[in-house]
Every structure is written in structure tokens, then in C-alpha cells.
Amino acid sequence: MSAASSLPPADLLSGIRVLDLTNILSGPYCTYQMAMLGAEVVKVENPQGGDLARQLGASSDLNRQMLGTSFLAQNAGKKSVSLNLKTPEGRELFKQLVATADVLVENFRPGVMDRLGLGYDVLSAINPGLVFCAISGFGQDGPMRGNPAYDQIVQGMSGVMSITGDKDSAPLRVGYPLCDTLGGLSAAFAVVSALYARKDSGKGRFIDVSMLDSTLSALGWAVSNYLLAGVEPRPIGNQNMTAAPSGVFTAADGPLNIAANKQEQFETLCRLIGREDLITDSRFAGREDRKAHREALNAEVNTALRARPALEWETLLNEAGVPSGRVLTIPEILASEQVQSRRLVQEIPYAHGGLDSVRVVRGGYRFNDSEPGARHAPPLLGEHNAEIYGEFGLDEAELTALREQRVV
């Protein structure tokens, strides 16, 4: 199969209805993954303002129109209905929706859905097959369950910030909402697993996703080195703690990542940069020797790398089996031939907010016969009220009243 071929949209979740009660990123990112696989994702939004992400993003003009880029990025392919869950009428209509759904995803603080009278016990009695996924900062139990949590709070509490940066800059926040994203991915994986199990049992289940737990699980070696070897992780900047020379180096025109993690890769690197003498230097003989003398080795490698620009080294080293890559900006990698050939960015026609189209990022995988992707553009607030609520026989007057609901 050609890497540049255009594949049809993936439909692995076709026929699955997801009720999306989420805001900002962790929950919307979860349900976006399912929308890209063909699920019908119905975003249930507060009639006044909707998802807060509608007001967030780099364009203040789009934010004012409730079309913030933060919203557009994670909500393509979804439908939107407006509903006030704080009114008895809104809750009854929502229960009708639940009866038609396969999945419900929410990322309120623990206890909010129960206080609304819409907790798992109530909704599973209406629909025993419902997969109910609750995403929160710290999970549904424990002493921190009720604490508010944004990505940066979890980055700090999880230990991520303590090992990001170097001894002078740490603690340092990762440059994007890492914990929100990990929570969303964990949730999507758990939901699809529960749907698979439901095929035989016919029963749904409650899923408790903690952003803190998800982040600690994904910290991998940083956690296991402490749990299994008793070594507390420390920030080492742009270097790889497991090997040397491995990290960011400096070519003639800018930074270059090199991961010479194996002995043969180290020796090949030395030959290519014209420093075969480093191979026989006792300070660099083995992996542990090189780690112990990392700074001295890095200085020697950097001096040699200044002879060529980063792209030349990247090409030369990769061809010889030494992993290497320039440090690129977001615009640079999006414009690269590699990303373009993979059709990672999807452009969707869009006639709102002064835009002709929106460009969104697909999932990081493809199938042999299809690819993940949104079926349509991100929705306006309440755009699909008539379509979805029409299933329950609401007439135009009732739909008008629904649009005019106010939060009390």
C-alpha cells in the first residue's frame, strides 16, 4: 500500500452512539478518537456558552464567536445539542437520550452527575448496556477526589515537572497539555475495551479514569527506576538517562538529536564525525563509562558536529544506522514531506467564523483499508437539536423553547 494513498474513513465504531458531556480537552480528546472511528458522538452542551473550549484559543475573534481553535481541534465529526441539565425537563430529555446511547463520557468533578440525579446507578437502570466513563483529575475516590484539576496541576503533582528541564530550569511544565491528553487516551482505550466485552455480556460498566493515574502509568521508566531500583529520577535536560551520547547536540546551524544508545552505534558515530580515538578512550569504553563521563563526551561530539549543518548529519547518521533527527518547530514538521505523505492533517470545509475550512489532526495510526478521520466539521452550539431531539417527537415550538433555556 502506498504511504501517500487516500484511504476511506475508518468505520470500526459505526453504529455506536456516544453522549459527550465533556469540556476543554481530556474528555473531548477521548470522544474525538471515537468520532474518527465512525462513532456518532453527540455533544451535550450547556445552552449558554457550551464547552468552555469554544472560548479558548489563539484567535480572540474566533473565541468571541464561540469557535475557539481549542474547540475546533478536538470536536470535528461530532454533533451538538444544547440542554440544561439543571432543569427537570432537561434531565428527562437527557434520560431519553441515554436510552438510545452506547457510551456516556463526562469529565465533571466526582459527584456532580449524582447530584443532578444522573449518576451511573440511575442511568444504568434505564440502559443496562451503557458504558459510563467518568474522567477526573484524581479519580472517584481518595482524599483528593474533589479537588479541581487542570493539566498543569496534574503535571506538577504527578512528578512530570520535577524531571522536566535541567538542574537550573526544573521544575518545568511540558509544553502542551500532556496529562489531559493521556487521560483522554486512557479513557478512549477503556471505553472501547468495555464495548468489546459488552458484545458477549450485553452489560455496560462504570469506568473511573484519573488523569493523575494515567500520567503516572505513562511515566514508565521514571517510575519503575524508583519502584524497582530505588533511584529517584532527576531532571537531566535534553539528555537520555539510559545512554550516552544520547540527547540534543549542536550542529553548525542548530540543534540535532542523536541517540547512539548501542555500542555499535557509538562506534559508528565516532567514525562518521572523524573521532575514532573516542572509541579507545577508557572514559568512553562501555555504556556505564560513557554515562559517568557524559559531559566530557558531549563536548567532544559537539566540537566535531560543528563541521556540518544538522540536515547533513541527520542524513549521514541515519543512513549508517545511528538514530538522528533535527529539532523542528511545529510548522516545520507539519510542512514536512513525511507528515504530508501520511495525510495526518485533514482539511474539512467550514463556512463559519470567516473560515473556508478547518484543518485538524487525525489519529496517530492507520489501517490497511481505512484511516481515522472526521466525517464533518466541528458543530455550532445546538446545531443538531432538530436532528437528535426529533427522534423523540419534539416539535418546532418545543425546540425553540429548548434553545432559549437559561442556566439557573
Side-chain angles (χ1 to χ4, degrees), residues 167 239 244 249 283-284 290-302:
K167 60 183 178 61
Q239 295 298 303
F249 297 86
R283 295 174 297 170
F284 315 134
R290 293 193 290 276
K291 288 166 58 180
H293 298 94
R294 182 189 300 274
E295 291 187 8
L297 177 56
N298 287 353
E300 300 289 356
V301 172
N302 275 326

Side-chain angles (χ1 to χ4, degrees), residues 71-408:
F71 177 84
L72 298 178
Q74 312 299 336
N75 290 282
K78 303 180 187 180
K79 299 174 180 179
S80 171
V81 297
S82 56
L83 191 61
N84 184 357
L85 295 178
K86 293 185 178 181
T87 67
E89 298 82 5
R91 290 191 290 272
E92 287 308 308
L93 183 54
F94 181 71
K95 289 176 181 178
Q96 292 184 64
L97 268 177
V98 167
T100 71
D102 300 282
V103 177
L104 183 153
V105 183
E106 54 97 346
N107 62 347
F108 300 123
R109 286 196 212 180
V112 168
M113 290 292 283
D114 287 320
R115 289 195 294 274
L116 288 170
L118 300 172
Y120 175 66
D121 290 342
V122 172
L123 299 185
S124 63
I126 296 170
N127 181 351
L130 182 69
V131 175
F132 187 125
C133 179
I135 307 171
S136 62
F138 305 104
Q140 299 296 306
D141 53 23
M144 298 178 63
R145 66 184 292 271
N147 286 16
Y150 285 98
D151 178 84
Q152 182 150 352
I153 304 302
V154 181
Q155 282 202 32
M157 300 202 74
S158 66
V160 166
M161 289 175 62
S162 76
I163 59 172
T164 303
D166 56 29
K167 60 183 178 61
D168 297 318
S169 62
L172 193 65
R173 176 186 176 275
V174 176
Y176 79 104
L178 171 70
C179 303
D180 271 325
T181 304
L182 290 172
L185 281 176
S186 295
F189 175 77
V191 166
V192 172
S193 299
L195 286 172
Y196 180 79
R198 193 186 67 168
K199 291 170 58 179
D200 294 327
S201 69
K203 295 181 180 179
R205 65 190 66 212
F206 182 83
I207 301 170
D208 172 8
V209 175
S210 158
M211 288 166 55
L212 177 65
D213 294 356
S214 298
T215 303
L216 284 165
S217 176
L219 273 164
W221 290 351
V223 169
S224 63
N225 281 337
Y226 177 70
L227 290 178
L228 303 177
V231 176
E232 182 177 349
R234 302 290 184 187
I236 59 171
N238 292 322
Q239 295 298 303
N240 175 3
M241 63 176 291
T242 68
S246 187
V248 178
F249 297 86
T250 305
D253 61 346
L256 177 72
N257 274 313
I258 298 175
N261 296 348
K262 300 178 181 178
Q263 183 67 28
E264 60 267 30
Q265 291 170 340
F266 166 65
E267 294 179 6
T268 299
L269 171 66
C270 293
R271 284 192 286 270
L272 291 175
I273 65 174
R275 291 298 308 273
E276 291 188 59
D277 59 297
L278 298 177
I279 299 173
T280 56
D281 190 314
S282 61
R283 295 174 297 170
F284 315 134
R287 174 186 292 269
E288 296 305 317
D289 301 310
R290 293 193 290 276
K291 288 166 58 180
H293 298 94
R294 182 189 300 274
E295 291 187 8
L297 177 56
N298 287 353
E300 300 289 356
V301 172
N302 275 326
T303 298
L305 290 174
R306 294 191 186 102
R308 298 189 187 205
L311 180 57
E312 287 188 23
W313 283 123
E314 177 186 300
T315 303
L316 181 66
L317 293 170
N318 282 325
E319 287 177 349
V322 180
S324 175
R326 289 159 293 155
V327 177
L328 301 178
T329 65
I330 300 296
E332 286 172 338
I333 189 58
L334 289 177
S336 70
E337 184 179 351
Q338 176 64 29
V339 170
Q340 294 287 325
S341 71
R342 295 280 295 176
R343 289 173 39 83
L344 183 64
V345 176
Q346 179 183 5
E347 186 164 3
I348 308 170
Y350 196 65
H352 304 288
L355 303 174
D356 296 321
S357 65
V358 293
R359 293 188 297 166
V360 296
V361 179
R362 303 177 191 269
Y365 55 88
R366 288 161 62 175
F367 304 103
N368 66 314
D369 58 353
S370 59
E371 60 188 354
R375 272 58 174 180
H376 54 81
L380 301 176
L381 177 59
E383 179 178 345
H384 299 89
N385 281 4
E387 174 187 338
I388 301 299
Y389 294 144
E391 297 176 15
F392 311 123
L394 272 67
D395 59 26
E396 188 58 39
E398 290 170 313
L399 289 171
T400 299
L402 191 67
R403 284 194 295 271
E404 294 175 353
Q405 287 184 61
R406 294 295 180 260
V407 176
V408 296

